[in-house]
Amino acid sequence: MELKKDSNAVSIDMLLIVHSEKLRAAHGTHLDPQADPGALLQNRGGFQGVRNGIRKWQESEGSDFHGNLAEKQPLRQPQIITSYDNQGTQLTVEVHPRDAVPQLLKKFSLAKRLQGDKNGNTRPRQPGGKDAHAYPWDRSSLKSMPLDLEQFKKLDAYASQVTVKNGLDELVSDLLQEAHSDLERVRAIWIWICHHIEYDMEAAQEKDHQAFKPTDILRTQKTNCDGYAGLFERMCRIAGVQCMTVPGYSKGFGYQTGQSFSGEFDHAWNAVYLEGRWHLLDSTWGSGLVDTATSKFTFLYNEFYFLTHPSLFIEDHFPDNKNWQLLKPPQSLRQFENNMYHKSEFYNKGMLSAHPETAMIRTVNGKATVTIESCAPTLFMFMLDGKQEHGLLSLRKNGMKLEVYPPTMGTHKLQIFAKGNSDIYSSVLEYTLKCNYVDLGVRLPAELHQPVGPSWFSEQMGILKPSHPDPIIHTSDGRCSISFAVEEGISVLASLHGDDGPITEETQRRYIFQLHREKRTELKVQLPHAGKFALKIFVKKRQEPGNYTFVFNYLLCCANTKVNWPMFPESFGNWGPDNELLEPLSGVLPANRNVPFKLKLHGIAKALVKGQDTWPLTLNPEGYWEGSCSTAGCQEVYVMVLENANHNFYSYILKYKVNTQ
């Protein structure tokens, strides 16, 4: 049956198979041969009655569609019956001799394969029990049938390059040159549409029915979702593949988390019949996406919506007929509205599940927790109300854990992004947070970026065996020491960030002193005051140019209000990575005092401390340079080294300030 949409009328072309008088009598069917055909249709319940009559005939008839008769009857011209109901709907029926090939069937069929089943049925069958997949998803596959996408590479490359020449029939014929099965025919049509037809936002908003027509779609190469689905169905039927257009609700452009659906349907997609079973696909969403800010369409192929597993397809597609869910048990509209919406990139990037499984989360004691399970290590990030703040995101080998602390009561939008194998973070989940309590004691630094704590990613970047595997470090006296092994050729840089106090861009590394001992790097940290701080860790390959790369950070917490540690001494370029400072660690020295110095310096001929005067350091048997310096009469003190005994040029390696009070 082919439906033609028009603003004023619906025209239906229907194939009606009529039995001979003897055959009807044999089956006990009594019809008045003089009765008005139009009245007959109405008395049998209108179009529904005709449809049921065809089904009854199909069940009783055992021969194939063309009905091989023992004796050929004389050819008779088809009889045309036209009927109108009381609303002006027109139904036209062709009545043929049983041995004649109906003209209407010839109109629909351009391939021998669309000759009907053994009962002569050319109408795609409705989905049944054998089409249904178990719900919820069993994690076996993203697809509804076994697929090896590698086998499509040659076909995909060919189909994407086919151009329109004269019309739809020739286009399909060209596409099928490299397709040798129904699956490949569907794939070729899918690839061509996804790479050539642009979503027409203007037509969608104006509900322009001209955008539905295949001829107009081929000419403009633009349409809306109805046009995509209609074109796909038409091309499949030309190719001899059973295909249906399925209308329904969708969680697409403009969808708001938790919204309800009512009224007319907002989307359309397709079902195709392959290998004895119905399968679902959406060429509209397979072709690209619409930017929510600009309402502009961008071609961005999405494999996810080709033969999608029905348990995943139902997350953003709710058909008008529950049978087209292809699920056992089917989901209700209320379930569709309330169920968590995992975006296609959630599955494309290897995620398996997320908790909570509802789109709306209520905080508990001011905190909301989200966990994601993935099939491989994955990088994540989040945004709360558009900012990367107020949360602790820690990576796990197969997923992540996120703890969010909304800064105010009310409703908040939480977005979660994943990187996967690409270089781009894509949105995979959205939650609505309802917060009715704010814990003022949990105020996180604005510079606390993601992720927090060491993980598989820090190992991948060359930081191994950390002394503190947890992301949060509590210190009672405002000091801590963190160490980890570092792969050969990797340089480490650290900086301290807090929202209050004296830390500036110039001094954020002065509260950290970095030491190297036996292939381990140690970070000594002194906090300038009580509070929460982000300790950021960066790495870089020594032999490669470019900037350091952020790897992770720790959250340092200190509740002791008496803490007031000074900065460490400032180090210069000649301070070697294997040097070690034992004392003095404070970057501010007391005035008018003799201050002891003890350092381990490698490859040094001489070392001295310079203040108002100069004091040499001596090398002891343990390999440390030792000595003392008076701070009287000076504002700064420097440690200087001579690398070559044959030279007289000393280099600065450390700088201290002298307290003037």
Side-chain angles (χ1 to χ4, degrees), residues 93-105:
V93 179
E94 295 180 13
V95 181
H96 297 264
R98 188 167 179 267
D99 60 338
V101 179
Q103 298 301 310
L104 187 58
L105 177 60

Side-chain angles (χ1 to χ4, degrees), residues 10 16 183 409 522 577:
V10 176
L16 177 65
L183 173 60
M409 292 189 293
E522 181 182 1

Side-chain angles (χ1 to χ4, degrees), residues 81-325:
I81 301 173
T82 301
S83 177
Y84 298 85
D85 69 4
N86 56 9
Q87 296 181 347
T89 302
Q90 176 182 330
L91 173 64
T92 300
V93 179
E94 295 180 13
V95 181
H96 297 264
R98 188 167 179 267
D99 60 338
V101 179
Q103 298 301 310
L104 187 58
L105 177 60
K106 291 180 179 178
K107 172 184 175 182
F108 285 146
S109 177
L110 294 181
K112 291 183 179 180
R113 289 172 292 101
L114 195 58
Q115 293 180 344
D117 59 20
K118 65 181 181 180
N119 294 323
N121 182 17
T122 59
R123 175 183 173 82
R125 72 164 179 81
Q126 293 296 304
K130 72 175 185 178
D131 299 294
H133 295 252
Y135 183 87
W137 185 45
D138 60 5
R139 301 186 178 187
S140 59
S141 172
L142 300 182
K143 303 296 186 182
S144 55
M145 64 186 296
L147 290 181
D148 179 8
L149 296 180
E150 289 294 319
Q151 74 179 12
F152 293 135
K153 276 193 171 182
K154 182 180 178 181
L155 178 62
D156 290 356
Y158 168 78
S160 64
Q161 299 300 317
V162 172
T163 58
V164 179
K165 296 175 183 175
N166 294 320
L168 197 60
D169 292 351
E170 185 174 348
L171 172 61
V172 174
S173 178
D174 290 344
L175 284 172
L176 301 190
Q177 294 300 313
E178 297 294 330
H180 308 294
S181 66
D182 279 355
L183 173 60
E184 291 186 351
R185 294 179 185 99
V186 169
R187 180 70 179 189
I189 294 170
W190 157 270
I191 287 294
W192 188 88
I193 290 179
C194 287
H195 287 81
H196 289 84
I197 305 303
E198 178 180 345
Y199 190 80
D200 191 341
M201 278 295 296
E202 184 176 337
Q205 292 169 352
E206 296 179 359
K207 298 183 179 179
D208 181 6
H209 290 271
Q210 293 296 321
F212 303 164
K213 296 182 178 180
T215 53
D216 291 319
I217 296 173
L218 292 188
R219 177 177 56 82
T220 64
Q221 299 212 341
K222 289 184 177 182
T223 188
N224 58 12
C225 58
D226 295 282
Y228 275 100
L231 179 64
F232 195 95
E233 178 180 350
R234 185 74 172 271
M235 294 176 73
C236 281
R237 294 205 175 193
I238 292 173
V241 179
Q242 292 190 46
C243 179
M244 296 286 285
T245 295
V246 182
Y249 295 122
S250 69
K251 296 179 179 178
F253 179 76
Y255 169 73
Q256 299 294 321
T257 303
Q259 79 174 60
S260 58
F261 294 86
S262 62
E264 65 177 300
F265 299 116
D266 61 6
H267 195 43
W269 54 94
N270 295 102
V272 290
Y273 194 72
L274 297 170
E275 299 183 10
R277 201 174 192 183
W278 284 106
H279 303 269
L280 301 171
L281 53 82
D282 186 342
S283 57
T284 309
W285 291 5
S287 63
L289 48 83
V290 176
D291 189 299
T292 55
T294 64
S295 295
K296 298 294 185 182
F297 174 83
T298 301
F299 278 108
L300 186 64
Y301 177 71
N302 193 342
E303 173 64 36
F304 179 77
Y305 290 106
F306 179 73
L307 308 187
T308 315
H309 194 290
S311 292
L312 306 181
F313 204 75
I314 191 62
E315 291 198 18
D316 46 20
H317 292 74
F318 188 84
D320 65 334
N321 184 333
K322 67 178 182 180
N323 292 335
W324 284 115
Q325 294 181 25

